Amino acid sequence: MKRPGKWPAWFPGGLLLAGLCAAGGAVVTGAGCASTPDKADIAGIALSPVPLYGKFVWHDLVTNDPAAAKRFYGELFGWEFTDIRGGTRPYSLIRAQGRWIGGIVHPANATEKREGALWLGYLSVPDVDRAVTEVSARGGKTLDGPVDLRNIGRAAVVADPQGAAVGFVRSKPGDPADNGVPEEGHFLWMEYLAQDPVAATDFYKTLLGYEVRERPLGGGPHYVLAQGPHPRGGVLANPVKGARPNWLTYVRVKDPGALANRAQALGGRVLMAPRPDARGGSLALIADPSGAVLALQRYPFESSTAEEAPR
């Protein structure tokens, strides 16, 4: 993505802990939830016969107003929600076109509430404890866990060496299979906005064995973290000067401009409207009513053949 000039400093100064509740389409006893709805672990999700370590397999929205988030995203994307009862804090599953794709969790305490809202991605890893130890050894820190989740496996949330929050999970049921480009309304891509893109790329390459491909996008180097034919995420310099590094979550949409306007009408904010110098006008950035940032991406980009898409 080309450097878009002045962006609002839309990333909160602190980090949030997500629920450690969900991975691979199932919710279990853990920090925030207790049991799955009927057949939640298989409903609409094709599981890979082999682990897909290094793939983002789940996304949680941490927000102090889950009810407002449901109204907003339900109107914006047509998402549906199933509330999970009996845990230490409220948790809701997100379903898009009949498939479980993520969750919404309430912050655990007043400190987290003050930090704002955040979309958090979970990476599949072969050994959660080892990944956490490596993060700490290289200057990061553990934010929550590791914790065993009934019927799911083991999970943790960390801040990597540059301070970006990311989840780790080792799923017993398996990882969602690679089934081509995600549908509209589904999570499409993850991109690391780094203080030091080279250091961030080296860290994740060492941690998960990615192949690194450099892609010219303008405004500085852009790296793709891949496993064979499957790109898993991108890394580039954070265009917001002084902002904390973060993993930015992308959703595939048909018309990013129209949806950005719709987001604003629903109580969110447009942080960047589509513009020609940002992927040919195929990208918009929004914040939901609680402040969580999301990228709206049309795919194919229709402006460049140099890009790689998740698949």
Side-chain angles (χ1 to χ4, degrees), residues 68 71-73 75-76 256-271 285-289 296:
R71 290 192 296 269
F72 177 80
Y73 289 107
E75 291 287 337
L76 189 65
L259 271 185
N261 290 336
R262 178 65 172 157
Q264 183 165 292
L266 292 170
R269 291 180 293 140
V270 179
L271 304 175
L285 295 176
I286 63 168
D288 70 19
L296 307 178

Side-chain angles (χ1 to χ4, degrees), residues 105-187:
V105 64
H106 197 280
N109 52 52
T111 299
E112 289 183 6
K113 290 180 182 179
R114 289 196 298 268
E115 297 292 355
L118 178 73
W119 277 102
L120 179 72
Y122 287 82
L123 284 164
S124 173
V125 298
D127 186 324
V128 171
D129 294 74
R130 182 175 179 179
V132 168
T133 298
E134 185 163 349
V135 168
S136 297
R138 297 189 63 179
K141 61 181 180 180
T142 304
L143 299 179
D144 205 353
V147 61
D148 288 318
L149 304 177
R150 188 182 64 200
N151 301 327
I152 289 299
R154 194 159 174 81
V157 178
V158 302
D160 72 14
Q162 295 191 39
V166 66
F168 296 143
V169 65
R170 176 66 173 94
S171 173
K172 288 181 180 178
D175 297 326
D178 290 316
N179 286 329
V181 178
E183 299 175 38
E184 291 177 9
H186 288 231
F187 297 109

Side-chain angles (χ1 to χ4, degrees), residues 6-305:
K6 292 185 178 180
W7 284 7
W10 32 260
F11 282 117
L15 298 171
L16 291 173
L17 307 184
L20 287 178
C21 299
V27 176
V28 296
T29 299
C33 41
S35 61
T36 65
D38 292 342
K39 299 182 180 178
D41 57 330
I42 58 174
I45 295 179
L47 298 178
S48 170
V50 296
L52 300 178
Y53 302 133
K55 179 177 180 176
F56 281 95
V57 295
W58 194 254
H59 300 265
D60 272 341
L61 171 64
V62 186
T63 174
N64 61 9
D65 195 345
K70 292 176 194 176
R71 290 192 296 269
F72 177 80
Y73 289 107
E75 291 287 337
L76 189 65
F77 298 130
W79 287 350
E80 299 174 323
F81 309 94
T82 298
D83 295 335
I84 306 302
R85 308 295 181 184
T88 58
R89 50 177 160 161
Y91 191 87
S92 299
L93 280 168
I94 302 170
R95 183 166 56 192
Q97 291 89 42
R99 298 180 186 175
W100 305 114
I101 62 169
I104 300 176
V105 64
H106 197 280
N109 52 52
T111 299
E112 289 183 6
K113 290 180 182 179
R114 289 196 298 268
E115 297 292 355
L118 178 73
W119 277 102
L120 179 72
Y122 287 82
L123 284 164
S124 173
V125 298
D127 186 324
V128 171
D129 294 74
R130 182 175 179 179
V132 168
T133 298
E134 185 163 349
V135 168
S136 297
R138 297 189 63 179
K141 61 181 180 180
T142 304
L143 299 179
D144 205 353
V147 61
D148 288 318
L149 304 177
R150 188 182 64 200
N151 301 327
I152 289 299
R154 194 159 174 81
V157 178
V158 302
D160 72 14
Q162 295 191 39
V166 66
F168 296 143
V169 65
R170 176 66 173 94
S171 173
K172 288 181 180 178
D175 297 326
D178 290 316
N179 286 329
V181 178
E183 299 175 38
E184 291 177 9
H186 288 231
F187 297 109
L188 175 72
W189 187 238
M190 293 291 287
E191 200 151 52
Y192 192 124
L193 306 183
Q195 182 179 11
D196 185 337
V198 174
T201 299
D202 177 72
F203 171 77
Y204 283 98
K205 176 184 178 181
T206 301
L207 182 69
L208 287 162
Y210 291 119
E211 302 169 26
V212 177
R213 305 165 185 165
E214 187 167 359
R215 292 290 178 261
L217 288 179
H222 176 265
Y223 303 98
V224 174
L225 305 176
Q227 293 169 319
H230 302 291
R232 300 304 190 194
V235 182
L236 72 160
N238 196 326
V240 183
K241 186 177 181 180
R244 183 186 296 276
N246 279 265
W247 278 102
L248 176 62
T249 301
Y250 283 66
V251 173
R252 186 183 181 191
V253 302
K254 183 177 182 179
D255 188 335
L259 271 185
N261 290 336
R262 178 65 172 157
Q264 183 165 292
L266 292 170
R269 291 180 293 140
V270 179
L271 304 175
M272 187 188 79
R275 49 190 294 172
D277 62 346
R279 291 182 180 156
S282 66
L283 171 67
L285 295 176
I286 63 168
D288 70 19
S290 63
V293 177
L294 202 61
L296 307 178
Q297 178 69 65
R298 183 178 70 243
Y299 186 83
F301 303 120
E302 299 174 2
S303 62
S304 172
T305 59

